[in-house]
């Protein structure tokens, strides 16, 4: 490995900072603003990609500004960037997918005539600068700085809608991630105190192996907990599902690529380049990390089964899938690490495609809930076919990226003697099928007039009343004549209302409608029941408030702070006016109409990126070496000394 002085790492960081200035300057000209966005995204990827051949040949590109923090009697800490194989894995992924997401954002933001589009594109550009800074950081302190910049830059994107829910999600995001940053800083100081350096060294810092084991374990715990916030490790994960209130492109890139991947990337640096696999094994901290990751990947999959809101189901799927990466790192074997690192790009392509599919369905039909999507494959055949391919990859079906990474993980778990972890991986794959298949099956093989109920999502936790058992269809135990056994002899179901709730169950506390007044069996050929006009399932506002019939919008109307310079007639991308926009979600009267699969379902600004992300997922599944990412992963595994 040869270090080469080169300015390209800092150029890759700064190019989108310059782009941010250009985006802000072009706020009165949307077409120019978005041309700047695309140009900067392509330039950024070009700079990053130009370093790949050299790094694969054994070079490491280094740029330094000099000493960052001085320490009396020591060398201090340099503010330096370092493009090695692990850093390029993350930087190449983020910069490539920014191009795809920028195109998608144009169709999405204009299609919904969103407010604050200039702020949105500028915040995106700054976020990608921070993400590449995280990738190329040469030590823990520089990584911490860019990690915190990423938090600040992405806050406006999380809170973009400016609704009460969006602001609450933004505050929660800040509290969790800044709290994680404090833990990282504390762990960094402790490692510096123990080792005298915090520079990333393939295979780990040698002096840490001889340090006080108790303090070394404490430093490891602080660092992993801090990075684990953005990595979605339980119980530090709850900000991520709430952040789904953000626009779908934000959910896709930042919550499937840049933000959450910065968390697992940080864990990777700690395990591989700060402590090293050998020291992690010697300290005995790998097994607890593997247990946390296993619990997270199983529990999040089970929770995903209960989510009717498509983006929230995808959010819990993300929590689960991120733990595959952490598990691979924690098992410490060469194939396990290889599988964990390869799952970074594999998951990114697949989950980006899934979020993009959810977003285009929202833009074109205002539908966000799975229970309302029966037959939607007729209306959006290309979108739902891409969803099916990406979902198959998430479940580990062959020929898609997820199969290759999970195969390495499974082999690595067996090699490490972790049969329980191998079983957990297999069970998680089954759960992936369980929560993705209903979406695909309902879209293509059912209709709005003839579809199955969703007993898993419709049944209240623990049954409708604490004193009764939940039936398979989600209802109460009832007598043969349909009567409710909990009602007194002269009462009827109509006499029971919210004024006399069950003392053991407080619906308001649980955040769900009160089901206590419903005691009759449902015809499951009919749509799910509504309470006060809302579905009695996981009902949350979508990522955009649907306009009222008169064109007004509670949160994005003419008086809601729209910047007329951000969009207008010249910003049109050719969305067709269609009947689907005239209702608040679900199939229109008469059911979903059949559309032409070659562009009839939406604009190519949105369909193109969906197909690009899906193609990337398939390419990683068919030719992972030709797609470069697996070659970078192999270079990382060789550099840290776990060859096998």
């Amino acid at each position: 490995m040869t270090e080469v002085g080169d300015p390209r790492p800092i150029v890759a960081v700064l190019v989108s900072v310059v782009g941010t200035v250009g985006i802000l300057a072009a706020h009165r000209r949307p077409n120019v603003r978005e041309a700047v966005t695309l140009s900067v995204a392509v330039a950024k990827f070009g700079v990053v990609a130009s370093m790949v051949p050299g790094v694969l040949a054994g070079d490491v590109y280094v740029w330094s500004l000099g000493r960052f923090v001085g320490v009396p009697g020591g060398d201090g800490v340099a503010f330096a960037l370092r493009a090695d194989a692990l850093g390029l894995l993350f930087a190449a992924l983020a910069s490539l997918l920014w191009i795809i997401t920028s195109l998608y954002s144009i169709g999405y933001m204009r299609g919904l005539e969103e407010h604050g589009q200039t702020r949105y594109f500028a915040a995106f550009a700054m976020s990608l600068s921070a993400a590449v800074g995280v990738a190329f950081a040469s030590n823990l302190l520089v990584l911490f700085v860019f990690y915190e910049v990423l938090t600040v830059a992405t806050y406006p994107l999380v809170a973009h809608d400016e609704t009460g829910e969006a602001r609450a999600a933004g505050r929660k995001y800040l509290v969790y991630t800044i709290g994680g940053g404090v833990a990282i800083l504390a762990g960094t100081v402790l490692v510096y105190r123990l080792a005298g350096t915090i520079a990333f060294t393939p295979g780990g810092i040698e002096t840490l192996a001889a340090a006080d084991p108790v303090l070394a374990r404490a430093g490891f715990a602080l660092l992993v907990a801090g990075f684990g916030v953005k990595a979605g490790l339980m119980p530090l994960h709850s900000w991520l599902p709430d952040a789904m209130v953000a626009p779908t492109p934000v959910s896709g890139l930042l919550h499937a690529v840049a933000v959450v991947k910065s968390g697992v990337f940080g864990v990777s640096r700690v395990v591989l380049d700060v402590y090293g696999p050998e020291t992690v094994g010697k300290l005995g901290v790998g097994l607890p990390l593997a247990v946390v990751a296993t619990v997270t990947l199983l529990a999040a999959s089970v929770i995903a089964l209960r989510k009717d809101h498509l983006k929230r189901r995808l959010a819990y799927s993300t929590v689960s899938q991120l733990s595959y990466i952490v598990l691979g790192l924690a098992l410490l074997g060469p194939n396990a690490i290889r599988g964990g690192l390869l799952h970074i790009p594999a998951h990114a392509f697949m989950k980006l495609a899934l979020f993009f599919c959810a977003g285009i369905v929202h833009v074109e039909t205002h539908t966000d809930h799975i229970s309302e999507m029966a037959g939607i494959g007729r209306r959006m055949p290309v979108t739902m076919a891409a969803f099916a391919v990406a979902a198959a990859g998430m479940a580990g079906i062959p020929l898609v990226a997820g199969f290759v990474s999970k195969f390495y993980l499974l082999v690595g778990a067996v090699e490490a003697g972790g049969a329980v972890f191998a079983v957990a991986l297999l069970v998680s794959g089954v759960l992936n099928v369980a929560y993705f298949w209903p979406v695909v099956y309902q879209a293509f093989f059912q209709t709005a007039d003839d579809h199955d109920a969703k007993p898993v999502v419709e049944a209240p936790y623990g049954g409708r009343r604490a004193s009764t058992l939940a039936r398979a269809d989600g209802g109460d135990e009832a007598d043969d004549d349909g009567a409710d056994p909990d009602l007194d002899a002269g009462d009827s179901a109509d006499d029971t209302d919210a004024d006399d709730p069950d003392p053991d169950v407080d619906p308001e506390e649980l955040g769900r409608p009160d089901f206590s007044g419903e005691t009759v069996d449902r015809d499951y050929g009919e749509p799910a029941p509504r309470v006060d006009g809302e579905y009695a399932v996981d009902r949350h506002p979508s990522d955009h408030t649907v306009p009222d019939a008169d064109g007004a919008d509670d949160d994005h109307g003419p008086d809601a702070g729209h910047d007329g310079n951000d969009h207008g007639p010249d910003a049109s991308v050719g969305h067709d006016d269609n009947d689907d926009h005239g209702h608040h979600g679900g199939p229109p009267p008469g059911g979903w109409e059949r559309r032409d699969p070659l562009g009839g379902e939406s604009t190519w600004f949105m369909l193109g990126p969906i197909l690009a992300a899906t193609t990337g997922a398939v390419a990683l599944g068919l030719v992972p070496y030709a797609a470069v990412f697996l070659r970078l992963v192999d270079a990382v595994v060789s550099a840290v000394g776990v060859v096998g």
Side-chain angles (χ1 to χ4, degrees):
M1 183 179 296
T2 306
E3 290 194 354
V4 179
D6 196 296
R8 280 180 288 180
I10 189 62
V11 171
V13 173
L14 293 180
V15 65
S16 46
V17 175
V18 175
T20 302
V21 176
I23 291 168
L24 293 173
H27 71 283
R28 295 182 182 276
R29 304 179 66 184
N31 293 333
V32 174
R33 175 192 65 206
E34 286 149 18
V36 170
T37 297
L38 289 172
S39 300
V40 170
V42 171
K44 192 181 194 75
F45 176 68
V47 173
V48 172
S50 70
M51 292 183 277
V52 171
V55 168
L56 289 176
D59 293 335
V60 175
Y61 298 105
V62 179
W63 175 89
S64 178
L65 184 63
R67 193 165 64 174
F68 183 30
V69 177
V71 178
D75 295 333
V77 180
F79 190 94
L81 300 179
R82 184 174 183 271
D84 59 3
L86 182 55
L88 270 179
L89 177 70
F90 182 34
L93 176 68
S95 57
L96 173 61
L97 294 184
W98 186 30
I99 300 173
I100 299 173
T101 306
S102 295
L103 285 168
Y104 184 89
S105 293
I106 295 171
Y108 184 93
M109 301 299 284
R110 291 188 180 190
L112 289 174
E113 296 185 349
E114 280 278 7
H115 71 294
Q117 292 185 30
T118 297
R119 179 188 67 198
Y120 169 91
F121 285 105
F124 240 116
M126 282 302 301
S127 299
L128 265 295
S129 281
V132 173
V134 167
F136 291 156
S138 65
N139 57 64
L140 278 172
L141 191 56
V142 175
L143 175 54
F144 166 77
V145 170
F146 282 110
Y147 194 80
E148 293 298 272
V149 171
L150 181 60
T151 295
V152 175
T154 50
Y155 169 77
L157 296 169
V158 175
H160 174 82
D161 277 357
E162 299 181 17
T163 62
E165 185 186 18
R167 291 190 177 96
R171 287 193 297 269
K172 187 173 186 178
Y173 171 67
L174 285 179
V175 169
Y176 271 73
T177 53
I178 291 178
V182 171
I184 293 170
L185 183 59
T188 298
V189 172
L190 187 53
V191 168
Y192 189 85
R193 175 69 179 82
L194 292 173
T197 180
I198 50 176
F200 296 138
T201 306
I205 301 170
E206 289 185 8
T207 50
L208 271 178
D212 183 333
V214 174
L215 293 178
R217 292 187 186 101
F220 184 88
L222 285 168
L223 291 171
V224 169
F227 289 118
V229 171
K230 284 182 180 173
L233 290 176
M234 289 185 172
L236 307 172
H237 71 289
S238 67
W239 66 270
L240 198 154
D242 289 347
M244 292 300 106
V245 71
T248 298
V250 177
S251 303
L253 185 67
L254 300 184
H255 297 156
V257 184
V259 171
V260 297
K261 291 303 189 299
S262 71
V264 292
F265 178 81
V267 175
S268 303
R269 283 295 195 193
V270 171
V271 172
L272 302 178
D273 293 344
V274 176
Y275 281 78
E278 184 177 344
T279 302
V280 169
K282 178 182 176 182
L283 293 173
V285 292
L287 180 59
L289 181 59
V291 170
V292 171
T294 302
V295 170
T296 300
L297 68 89
L298 292 175
S301 294
V302 172
I303 295 172
L305 289 168
R306 291 277 306 189
K307 299 304 172 185
D308 189 48
H309 193 287
L310 181 56
K311 279 181 63 178
R312 290 184 72 86
R313 182 170 292 199
L314 294 178
Y316 278 101
S317 170
T318 295
V319 173
S320 174
Q321 295 290 325
L322 292 173
S323 288
Y324 282 80
I325 303 167
V326 178
L327 177 60
L329 295 166
L331 291 175
L332 304 178
N335 280 318
I337 294 173
R338 187 175 284 111
L341 293 179
L342 184 60
H343 202 60
I344 293 177
H347 171 260
F349 278 101
M350 295 183 297
K351 187 53 63 71
L352 194 65
L354 291 171
F355 272 121
F356 281 0
C357 291
I360 196 173
V361 169
H362 173 74
V363 169
E364 297 298 332
T365 72
H366 297 314
T367 300
D368 300 294
H369 293 78
I370 299 165
S371 57
E372 298 174 336
M373 293 183 181
I376 201 170
R378 293 167 53 88
R379 167 67 176 81
M380 312 194 80
V382 174
T383 298
M384 296 313 297
F387 187 98
V389 172
M394 297 291 286
I397 304 299
L399 306 183
V400 191
F403 170 76
V404 181
S405 58
K406 292 183 180 183
F407 177 80
Y408 278 120
L409 282 168
L410 193 60
V411 171
V414 173
E415 289 177 345
V420 65
F421 299 119
V423 171
L425 289 169
L426 294 173
V427 171
S428 179
V430 173
L431 290 173
N432 272 261
V433 173
Y435 63 72
F436 278 125
W437 173 246
V439 184
V440 177
Y441 179 77
Q442 183 164 262
F444 288 109
F445 303 108
Q446 296 187 320
T447 66
D449 297 328
D450 181 20
H451 65 280
D452 296 334
K454 304 295 180 292
V456 174
V457 296
E458 291 173 5
Y461 291 104
R464 196 167 296 161
R465 293 175 181 269
S467 59
T468 63
L469 297 175
R471 294 191 318 198
D473 62 358
D476 289 339
E477 292 289 345
D479 295 333
D480 292 338
D481 60 0
D484 188 335
D486 289 338
L487 292 177
D488 293 332
D491 293 338
S492 68
D494 293 334
D495 294 330
T496 304
D497 55 30
D499 294 330
D500 185 23
D502 189 315
D504 295 327
V505 179
D506 183 354
E508 292 298 324
E509 180 181 341
L510 296 177
R512 300 190 300 274
D514 185 1
F515 292 87
S516 60
E518 297 182 15
T519 59
V520 296
D521 290 335
R522 279 183 49 215
D523 178 1
Y524 282 96
E526 298 297 324
R530 293 174 180 258
V531 176
D532 296 331
E534 296 290 302
Y535 276 98
V537 288
D538 178 38
R539 192 73 172 176
H540 292 277
S542 69
D543 56 352
H544 181 79
T545 303
V546 180
D548 295 331
D550 61 1
D553 188 314
D554 292 340
D555 297 304
H556 302 296
D559 298 326
H562 279 247
D563 182 356
N565 297 323
D566 281 351
H567 58 272
D570 64 326
S572 173
V573 292
H575 272 272
D576 295 330
D577 292 331
N578 57 66
D579 295 337
D580 293 340
H581 284 86
H583 68 288
H584 292 289
W592 300 109
E593 61 177 286
R594 187 177 297 279
R595 290 294 181 94
D596 177 9
L598 297 178
E601 58 192 80
S602 183
T603 69
W604 284 104
F605 271 97
M606 301 184 76
L607 284 174
I610 288 173
L611 294 178
T614 306
T615 301
V618 173
L620 272 173
L622 293 176
V623 286
Y625 273 99
V628 175
F629 288 107
L630 184 54
R631 295 169 63 189
L632 288 170
V633 168
D634 283 344
V636 174
V637 173
S638 297
V640 299
V642 281
V643 181

